[in-house]
Amino acid sequence: MASSSSQSRQESGLSEEDYDLIHGSESGWVDARTSCNHLSSLSAADLTHIPTPNTPCNTCQHPTENWLCLSCKEVLCGRFVNRHMLHHFRQTNHSVALSFSDLSVWCFSCDAYLDAQVIHQLRPVHQLAYILKFNQPPPLRPS
């Protein structure tokens, strides 16, 4: 069964890229998920050592809008550049990635953001990326 976003794209008659450009840049509040069934692949990766947030895309060397695959630690550009992280997900089924732009975590399989401060497995890599990017620990989140 197609996801609602995939179904909406098909009904619009737009290519995936054009649909993302029109609808993917919507602004507004996003409720990140507090759980995800696709985190099991993270156990193989050592997430206490990650590339710095200014690492360019491993494929095209684009300097910005890059994502860190949390399964294999490959750094690839996002859907608004050359879509290398999306292609990586489709080839490897590595579902979870961290954005070096805003430090959000996305699950491609869930088609949703994940709350890295609530999900225990994601908290250490989120904190490390924050320190590498801002030279200080992230602020404590109110309970």
Side-chain angles (χ1 to χ4, degrees):
M1 178 173 218
S3 71
S4 61
S5 63
S6 174
Q7 189 173 4
S8 297
R9 181 188 62 77
Q10 291 171 348
E11 290 170 358
S12 73
L14 296 171
S15 71
E16 183 176 0
E17 185 173 352
D18 288 342
Y19 186 87
D20 284 348
L21 288 173
I22 293 169
H23 298 285
S25 60
E26 292 180 33
S27 63
W29 185 258
V30 175
D31 283 324
R33 294 179 60 147
T34 58
S35 65
C36 174
N37 294 328
H38 305 100
L39 299 176
S40 59
S41 65
L42 305 188
S43 61
D46 174 13
L47 296 177
T48 59
H49 297 91
I50 62 171
T52 59
N54 61 351
T55 303
C57 174
N58 290 348
T59 302
C60 68
Q61 301 305 308
H62 196 278
T64 60
E65 296 296 327
N66 292 315
W67 291 75
L68 172 67
C69 174
L70 296 183
S71 293
C72 68
K73 298 198 288 188
E74 187 157 3
V75 176
L76 298 162
C77 61
R79 66 183 71 208
F80 297 114
V81 180
N82 290 315
R83 308 166 72 91
H84 289 127
M85 184 57 75
L86 181 61
H87 296 303
H88 178 72
F89 160 68
R90 289 179 176 159
Q91 292 171 348
T92 64
N93 206 33
H94 291 173
S95 298
V96 184
L98 178 135
S99 166
F100 278 148
S101 295
D102 63 6
L103 303 182
S104 61
V105 177
W106 178 261
C107 177
F108 287 94
S109 294
C110 293
D111 198 23
Y113 286 103
L114 304 179
D115 192 329
Q117 295 181 353
V118 172
I119 299 172
H120 180 72
Q121 281 178 274
L122 297 176
R123 196 174 310 144
V125 71
H126 179 266
Q127 288 176 345
L128 179 57
Y130 192 99
I131 291 167
L132 290 171
K133 185 168 183 159
F134 298 111
N135 260 346
Q136 63 183 14
L140 295 176
R141 186 173 175 168
S143 304

